[in-house]
């Protein structure tokens, strides 16, 4: 069912294609590969040389079947690259076209050009369906839905009868294009199931009305090229056999050939010995039909045979039954020869149609394999369904993930519902605690109560963390985004609540990466909590850093205040206390302009903390340094360190980073004109310059700080160390030949010499030669080879080594 959904083209077909250099002339080309509506072609005459292969789109390229140029007086001329290879091109054409298969004309020209069965069998398309009980009759059916070639059909003239809808794959042997019945001499008659809905004259009106639209909605016959060919049978009426009832394919029962229609079709009926059979099941078959077996097939294969309804006794014996019915068994030669092994084994998974409800497709497990038939256990059915018996070539079974690929719902096993056991907290009377006074803050939640009872008076339970939107947001945080944050987060586990709070703050910043850098855990700092990895995205780049988060509730207020100080905002911007009317720090009058300008004026006068009770001010003599151009210099908040101020930093204030930074955010929230990457590069260069300077004797007894080890992998452009340079030189590759000339075997041989040797099989299976190797990139490797990031990076490292060596040795 998957392989049949092609566009009708196959490798080896030949067609006439316009020359690229001279579009007025054409030449014969062969199809090398197909991919949807794209064809990979090679002009005949290039033989095995793939360098001139080219892709073209069926819908737009100038493609024609073989013989088109002769019919339309067009010139056949070989391309320039091979004109000198043969002296007699006429003889060459005779040789290359003898026995060749031409691409179908309907696929290259006309309204159906380049379309596949999925495109053509659209809702509203018309087909003809043979009657399952009288195959010499057919009736028109209309396509309601097409899912991966599986069609939902209704009989023309019975649109409103849902019970008469049929689900069939488009290559079903009983489904045909319009006009098939007339070609075969069969009649167009509505089936017995719907014939009583209208009078004979009404059905004729329906037929005439539908046939008037045939040209618009009919499907060409060549799109049914993969349909199984029905051979000639040798059954005769009265023969006995064993058969599976297609309406309920769960058991195998004795059956009888009741009618032979012609050399292709015969009617099989499941035996029913009751005096008044109720709805005896009869169905048309052909020689290759699944579900029919010779007599005693079940006995030979160890499969239980269900006796006919009304059969006296428990034990069924074919010899006695044939004598009783005065019938003969169908000879073995009447049945189709066993097909080669399809590879099915027990416990394999696939997807299969539910025979009791054909609109449902279930995940299924193979439970038994006997000859050409498999037994399937359907998973996820609302009602229990016995194991189904299915022929290996049935068009009601699909590979795993077929439903997902075609957007169809799959019935899969449901997880059993497990009732959670109620947890009963056992508390000793002498250890009971009085209710907390913060119950009005919503701390009586289930999480808090569980933590209260099980973790010692809520030691690890964080209270609500409030965002006080009116407080001063500082130079890093966008006041507008702060106003969009929720009123509070929590209560809950300290780590979870604080991680959520910090993530919200990072996302509310002008530059999330800058805030992440401020919060990054200092290597030499003493800390009582534990590290949590936080992430940020800025200008399409990803950043991550380890940030300290406290673990106990008593540390939360101090943690929130210190974090606010690091971000140079009001200490009450977020924390366990809600600022109602007015902030206790009196920060409502501050703006970024006043705040930074105030800092700039008061630095030299060594005035203490600015309003807000915190400071990043560190006095000292200015050091000359390069600055990039600023848009508004008086909005710049300068932050520097001097050796003289190392021991004079106020307690509780954050330490400077030792790096000069320009923060050009304005109160309106505009972002810095320079990119974050330039900031990183400039700061890294300044840090390395400072490290290279000899320290003065007066600084020898001072505490030295290491610059933060940022994990911003996207922006690190540090020069390699001498050791790295040495390893790079040693890792350089020397090639004996140009990769452009490598065959697939040469590529496989090279991969086996690396630490990616287990991946050599992929290169062999995908036929990757040297030219293709040089085109591989990390995204291509991940997508085409289905590799995870780690192995893909390792493999691309070796590919880049080949590319580098190629450029150095052979590029000239």
């Amino acid at each position: 069912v998957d392989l049949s959904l092609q566009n009708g083209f196959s490798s080896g077909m030949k067609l006439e294609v316009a020359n690229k250099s001279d579009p007025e002339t054409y030449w014969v080309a062969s199809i090398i590969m197909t991919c949807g509506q794209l064809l990979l072609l090679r002009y005949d005459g290039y033989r095995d040389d793939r360098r001139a292969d080219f892709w073209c789109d069926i819908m737009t390229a100038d493609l024609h079947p073989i013989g088109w140029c002769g019919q339309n007086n067009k010139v056949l001329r070989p391309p320039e690259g091979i004109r000198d290879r043969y002296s007699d091109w006429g003889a060459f054409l005779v040789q290359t076209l003898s026995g060749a298969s031409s691409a179908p004309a309907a696929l290259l020209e006309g309204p159906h050009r380049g379309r596949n069965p999925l495109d053509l069998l659209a809702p509203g398309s018309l087909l003809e369906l043979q009657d399952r009980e009288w195959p010499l009759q057919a009736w028109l059916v209309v396509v309601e839905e097409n899912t991966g070639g599986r069609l939902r059909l209704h009989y023309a003239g019975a649109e409103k009868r849902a019970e008469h809808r049929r689900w069939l794959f488009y290559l079903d042997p009983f489904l045909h294009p319009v006009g098939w019945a007339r070609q075969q001499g069969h009649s167009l008659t509505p089936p017995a199931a719907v014939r009583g809905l209208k009078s004979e004259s009404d059905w004729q009106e329906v037929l005439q009305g539908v046939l008037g639209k045939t040209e618009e909605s009919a499907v060409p016959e060549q799109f049914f090229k993969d349909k199984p060919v029905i051979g000639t049978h040798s059954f005769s009426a009265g023969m006995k056999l064993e058969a599976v009832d297609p309406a309920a394919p769960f058991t195998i029962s004795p059956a009888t050939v009741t009618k032979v229609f012609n050399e292709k079709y015969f009617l099989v009926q499941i035996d029913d010995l009751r005096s008044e059979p109720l709805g005896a099941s009869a169905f048309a078959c052909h020689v290759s039909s699944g579900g029919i077996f010779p007599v005693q097939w079940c006995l030979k294969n160890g499969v239980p045979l269900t006796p006919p309804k009304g059969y006296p006794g428990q034990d069924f014996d074919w010899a006695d039954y044939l004598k009783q019915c005065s019938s003969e068994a169908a000879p073995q030669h009447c049945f189709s020869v066993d097909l080669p092994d399809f590879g099915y084994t027990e416990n394999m998974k696939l997807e299969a149609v539910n025979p009791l409800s054909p609109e449902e497709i279930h995940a299924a497990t193979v439970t038994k394999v006997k000859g050409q038939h498999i037994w399937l256990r359907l998973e996820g059915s609302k009602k229990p369904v016995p194991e189904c018996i299915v022929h290996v070539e049935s068009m009601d079974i699909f590979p795993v993930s077929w439903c997902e690929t075609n957007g169809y719902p799959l019935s899969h096993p449901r997880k059993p519902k497990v009732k959670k056991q109620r947890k009963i907290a056992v508390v000793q009377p002498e250890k009971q605690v009085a209710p907390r006074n913060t119950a009005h803050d919503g701390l009586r939640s289930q999480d808090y109560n569980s933590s209260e009872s099980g973790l010692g008076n809520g030691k690890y339970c964080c209270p609500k963390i409030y965002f006080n939107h009116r407080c001063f947001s500082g130079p890093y945080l966008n006041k507008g985004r702060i106003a969009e944050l929720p009123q509070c987060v929590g209560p809950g586990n300290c780590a979870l609540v604080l991680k959520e709070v910090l993530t919200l703050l990072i996302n509310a910043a002008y530059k999330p990466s800058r805030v992440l850098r401020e919060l990054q855990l200092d290597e030499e700092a003493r800390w009582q909590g534990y590290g949590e990895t936080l992430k940020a995205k800025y200008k399409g780049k990803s950043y991550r850093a380890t940030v300290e988060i406290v673990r106990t509730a008593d540390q939360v207020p101090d943690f929130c205040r210190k974090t606010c100080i690091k971000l140079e905002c009001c200490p009450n911007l977020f924390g366990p206390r809600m600022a109602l009317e007015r902030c206790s720090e009196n920060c409502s009058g501050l703006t970024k302009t006043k705040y930074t300008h105030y800092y700039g004026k008061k630095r030299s006068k060594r005035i203490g903390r600015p309003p807000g009770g915190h400071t990043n001010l560190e006095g000292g003599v200015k050091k000359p340094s390069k600055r990039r151009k600023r848009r508004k210099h008086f909005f710049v908040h300068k932050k520097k360190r001097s050796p003289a101020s190392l021991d004079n930093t106020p307690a509780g204030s954050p330490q400077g980073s030792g790096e000069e930074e320009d923060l050009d955010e304005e109160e309106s929230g505009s972002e810095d004109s320079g990119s974050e990457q330039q900031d990183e590069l400039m700061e890294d260069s300044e840090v390395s310059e400072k490290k290279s300077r000899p320290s003065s004797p007066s600084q020898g007894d001072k505490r030295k700080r290491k610059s933060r080890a940022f994990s911003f992998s996207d922006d690190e452009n540090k020069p390699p160390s001498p050791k790295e340079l040495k390893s790079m030189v040693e890792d350089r590759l020397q090639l004996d030949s140009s990769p452009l000339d490598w065959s697939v075997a040469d590529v496989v041989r090279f991969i086996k010499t690396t630490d990616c040797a287990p991946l050599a099989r992929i290169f062999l299976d995908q036929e990757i030669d040297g030219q293709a190797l040089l085109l591989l990139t990390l995204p291509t490797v991940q997508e085409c080879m289905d590799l995870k990031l780690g192995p893909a990076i390792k493999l691309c490292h070796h590919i880049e080594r080949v590319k580098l060596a190629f450029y150095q040795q052979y590029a000239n």
Side-chain angles (χ1 to χ4, degrees), residues 293-305:
F293 314 93
V295 167
Q296 293 189 344
W297 183 91
C298 288
L299 179 65
K300 295 177 181 178
N301 289 273
V303 177
L305 178 69

Side-chain angles (χ1 to χ4, degrees), residues 153-215:
L153 309 167
H154 69 256
Y155 289 108
E159 292 83 356
K160 297 182 180 180
R161 296 283 179 168
E163 64 272 16
H164 297 145
R165 287 192 174 99
R166 302 289 301 273
W167 283 92
L168 294 173
F169 196 72
Y170 85 101
L171 292 181
D172 188 281
F174 286 82
L175 195 62
H176 310 278
V178 175
W180 176 88
R182 183 179 300 174
Q183 294 175 3
Q184 301 295 324
H186 301 336
S187 61
L188 279 174
T189 306
V194 299
R195 194 177 303 159
L197 299 177
K198 298 179 185 292
S199 63
E200 186 67 27
S201 59
D202 291 340
W203 283 117
Q204 289 301 319
E205 290 182 7
V206 171
L207 182 61
Q208 296 300 325
V210 172
L211 290 178
K213 304 176 183 178
T214 300
E215 295 182 2

Side-chain angles (χ1 to χ4, degrees), residues 557-755:
D558 188 53
F559 171 80
C560 293
R561 186 175 183 87
K562 287 184 177 180
T563 303
C564 289
I565 292 174
K566 285 183 180 180
L567 301 180
E568 302 181 29
C569 58
C570 175
N572 292 332
L573 180 66
F574 68 93
R577 294 178 58 188
M578 180 191 296
L580 299 175
E581 293 295 331
R582 190 172 180 179
C583 173
S584 60
E585 300 291 337
N586 194 23
C587 67
S588 58
L590 289 177
T591 64
K592 290 180 176 58
T593 306
K594 294 179 180 179
Y595 189 77
T596 55
H597 191 61
Y598 174 86
Y599 260 59
K601 277 193 172 183
K602 302 299 181 180
R603 287 172 65 98
S604 59
K605 296 182 181 180
R606 295 181 178 270
I607 290 182
R609 302 182 181 183
H614 63 282
T615 180
N616 281 346
L617 177 63
E618 294 168 0
V621 183
K622 293 185 179 179
K623 293 183 181 179
S625 63
K626 281 190 176 181
R627 290 181 177 272
R628 65 173 186 264
K629 188 176 180 180
R630 301 187 293 270
R631 283 182 293 181
K632 296 186 179 182
H633 62 87
F634 53 87
F635 284 153
V636 177
H637 171 48
K638 306 172 183 178
K639 188 169 77 174
K640 294 180 113 180
R641 288 180 58 85
S642 71
S645 64
L646 282 173
D647 293 333
N648 299 327
T649 305
S653 66
Q655 301 295 328
S657 63
E659 301 163 359
E660 184 175 21
E661 301 181 12
D662 296 335
L663 302 175
D664 296 342
E665 294 91 348
E666 300 180 19
E667 188 177 6
S668 61
S670 61
E671 295 183 351
D672 197 332
S673 59
S675 68
E676 188 72 15
Q677 185 175 4
Q678 292 172 344
D679 293 344
E680 298 290 339
L681 289 173
M682 186 183 71
E683 290 165 2
D684 289 342
S685 63
E686 289 179 6
V687 170
S688 61
E689 182 182 353
K690 292 178 182 180
K691 286 185 177 180
S692 64
R693 296 175 184 171
S695 57
S696 62
S698 61
Q699 292 177 321
D701 56 343
K702 301 297 182 180
R703 180 168 56 91
K704 297 182 179 179
R705 290 176 50 82
K706 290 174 64 178
S707 62
R708 290 174 180 162
F710 302 125
S711 58
F712 297 165
S713 58
D714 291 338
D715 287 337
E716 285 187 350
N717 289 302
K718 299 179 181 178
S721 64
K723 290 184 179 180
E724 292 173 343
L725 289 173
K726 182 177 180 181
S727 64
M728 289 168 63
V729 172
E730 293 175 352
D731 196 39
R732 186 172 297 168
L733 190 65
Q734 290 294 328
L735 301 178
D736 297 332
S737 60
S738 173
L740 291 177
D741 301 328
W742 285 6
S743 63
V744 176
D746 295 331
V747 173
V748 171
R749 197 175 301 114
F750 167 74
I751 296 298
K752 286 184 177 180
T753 62
T754 67
D755 54 356

Side-chain angles (χ1 to χ4, degrees), residues 173-174 228-235 241 262-268 284-293 331-339 372-373 391 393:
F174 286 82
V229 178
I230 296 178
T232 303
H233 72 83
S234 54
F235 287 92
L241 65 157
N262 55 19
E263 70 278 2
K264 290 186 177 181
Y265 301 104
F266 55 95
L267 190 69
V268 173
C285 292
H286 51 83
V287 67
S288 300
S289 292
I292 56 175
F293 314 93
Q332 181 73 37
H333 65 80
C334 292
F335 299 87
S336 61
V337 181
D338 282 350
L339 298 172
Q372 302 178 33
H373 290 75
H391 193 266
E393 288 191 332

Side-chain angles (χ1 to χ4, degrees), residues 384-555:
V385 179
E387 292 183 357
C388 306
I389 305 172
V390 181
H391 193 266
V392 291
E393 288 191 332
S394 169
M395 295 179 188
D396 285 336
I397 57 176
F398 311 93
V400 168
S401 77
W402 185 88
C403 284
E404 181 180 4
T405 303
N406 293 279
Y408 197 83
L410 174 69
S411 300
H412 51 79
R414 294 173 176 83
K415 293 183 179 179
K417 294 183 178 179
V418 180
K419 293 184 178 180
K420 295 183 178 179
Q421 297 181 353
R422 294 183 60 186
K423 295 183 179 180
I424 303 176
V426 180
V427 183
Q428 298 298 330
E430 63 273 16
K431 292 185 180 180
Q432 288 181 351
V433 294
R436 296 172 62 93
N437 296 327
T438 56
H440 65 280
D441 288 338
L443 298 181
R444 289 182 177 178
S445 64
Q446 182 178 357
D447 291 341
Y448 182 81
N449 287 336
S450 63
S451 178
E452 189 78 28
S453 61
L455 297 175
N457 198 20
K459 178 180 179 182
Y460 299 98
C461 182
C462 179
K464 285 185 178 180
I465 301 298
Y466 294 93
F467 292 103
N468 298 311
H469 305 125
R470 297 183 180 180
C471 289
F472 177 62
S473 58
Y476 303 136
L477 302 178
N478 187 318
K479 193 172 185 66
R481 295 176 189 168
I482 290 290
E484 296 175 357
L485 296 182
Q487 185 180 15
C488 63
V489 176
N493 180 273
C494 280
L496 298 179
V497 172
L498 294 179
K499 181 180 179 181
E500 177 66 17
V501 169
L502 294 181
T503 301
L504 292 174
L505 287 174
I506 291 170
N507 293 331
Y510 293 113
K511 296 181 179 179
S513 58
R514 186 68 179 83
V515 173
L516 192 64
R517 191 193 317 165
E518 286 296 317
L519 298 178
Q520 172 129 352
L521 186 62
D522 197 327
E523 289 184 353
E524 292 185 352
R526 297 179 60 186
W527 52 291
Q528 305 298 325
Y530 72 100
E532 184 73 41
T533 301
L534 298 183
K535 301 178 182 178
K537 285 190 176 181
Y538 180 60
K539 291 188 177 180
K541 298 179 182 178
S542 298
Y543 304 84
R544 63 176 63 199
T546 303
V547 177
E548 175 191 1
I549 292 181
V550 295
R551 305 171 64 181
T552 57
D554 57 343
Q555 297 174 310

